[in-house]
């Protein structure tokens, strides 16, 4: 696994944790949740594109 792929995966996990925390709040901020979901999607798309281009890198 390349260094960039690892960093993208790590960031994706961090965003996922922030998203779960934001959703579990009693007074969840819908705009913050939407922002985190979009950010997580962008990271997932970058990982998928990277995987398609460089299958050996993961």
């Amino acid at each position: 696994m390349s260094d960039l792929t690892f960093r993208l995966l790590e960031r994706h996990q961090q965003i996922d944790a922030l998203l779960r925390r934001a959703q579990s709040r009693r007074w969840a901020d819908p705009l913050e949740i939407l922002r985190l979901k979009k950010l997580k999607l962008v990271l997932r798309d970058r990982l998928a594109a990277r995987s398609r281009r460089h299958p050996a890198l993961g």
Side-chain angles (χ1 to χ4, degrees):
M1 177 183 307
S2 76
D3 189 43
L4 177 58
T5 302
F6 179 78
R7 287 194 318 260
L8 288 171
L9 281 170
E10 191 175 47
R11 185 67 179 140
H12 185 272
Q13 290 173 346
Q14 291 170 350
I15 297 298
D16 189 51
L18 289 171
L19 179 59
R20 282 191 309 248
R21 196 174 313 137
Q23 289 173 325
S24 69
R25 289 190 188 119
R26 184 174 183 154
W27 305 108
D29 180 1
L31 293 178
E32 177 70 6
I33 290 171
L34 183 62
R35 185 185 73 82
L36 290 170
K37 284 183 177 183
K38 285 184 179 182
L39 195 56
K40 189 176 165 185
L41 255 177
V42 166
L43 290 169
R44 188 188 73 188
D45 289 346
R46 286 183 65 190
L47 282 164
R50 188 164 175 76
S51 176
R52 283 190 304 272
R53 278 188 304 240
H54 307 288
L57 295 178

